Amino acid sequence: MPTPTEIKKTGPQELTVSWDDGHVSVFHTRYLRGECRCARCVNEITGLRILDPRTLVDDLTITGAEHVGRYGVKFMFSDRHDDGIYTWERLRELCQCEECRATNDRP
Ligand SMILES: [Zn+2]
Ligand SMILES: [Zn+2]
């Protein structure tokens, strides 16, 4: 499984993740925040999303990040939300580049 070699803010609302297999993912902060799967954003039993991403402010930023063991990262968002853990696997799944989108869309 690919793991990030670098995670850095590359714009006010942009996060770039470089992977050890050479892949680069660019994430929009608002998108990452909307994909949070913590108990406050997604119902643990039904799996349904509680958070409506449309309610998120446009200028959402990441104020901090923290490694979680060796398998993921936790982001602190400017809306004071910091419950979500993004595992490397999930972070890679969330990649929005053309290559990944093409792979993910394949049935
Ligand atoms: Zn959450
Ligand atoms: Zn990608």
Side-chain angles (χ1 to χ4, degrees):
M1 208 233 304
T3 52
T5 52
E6 189 178 46
I7 298 178
K8 69 175 178 191
K9 252 171 117 167
T10 43
Q13 284 128 259
E14 189 183 87
L15 189 84
T16 301
V17 179
S18 308
W19 300 88
D20 60 1
D21 62 353
H23 202 80
V24 176
S25 308
V26 179
F27 298 105
H28 196 271
T29 307
R30 205 166 171 270
Y31 165 72
L32 273 183
R33 172 66 184 85
E35 289 297 326
C36 180
R37 276 188 180 170
C38 79
R40 280 161 66 193
C41 295
V42 174
N43 186 304
E44 286 178 286
I45 297 158
T46 61
L48 291 175
R49 187 162 293 283
I50 301 164
L51 170 83
D52 181 353
R54 287 171 302 179
T55 64
L56 297 171
V57 294
D58 282 326
D59 58 356
L60 199 73
T61 56
I62 288 175
T63 56
E66 201 176 274
H67 275 269
V68 180
R70 296 173 78 182
Y71 62 89
V73 65
K74 205 172 175 177
F75 295 117
M76 286 98 203
F77 294 97
S78 56
D79 61 353
R80 296 174 177 271
H81 195 76
D82 62 357
D83 295 324
I85 292 169
Y86 296 77
T87 61
W88 303 146
E89 195 181 2
R90 174 128 168 84
L91 205 55
R92 182 64 175 249
E93 275 172 20
L94 292 174
C95 183
Q96 291 284 288
C97 79
E98 271 182 48
E99 193 187 317
C100 291
R101 274 203 262 185
T103 312
N104 294 342
D105 287 346
R106 210 174 287 155

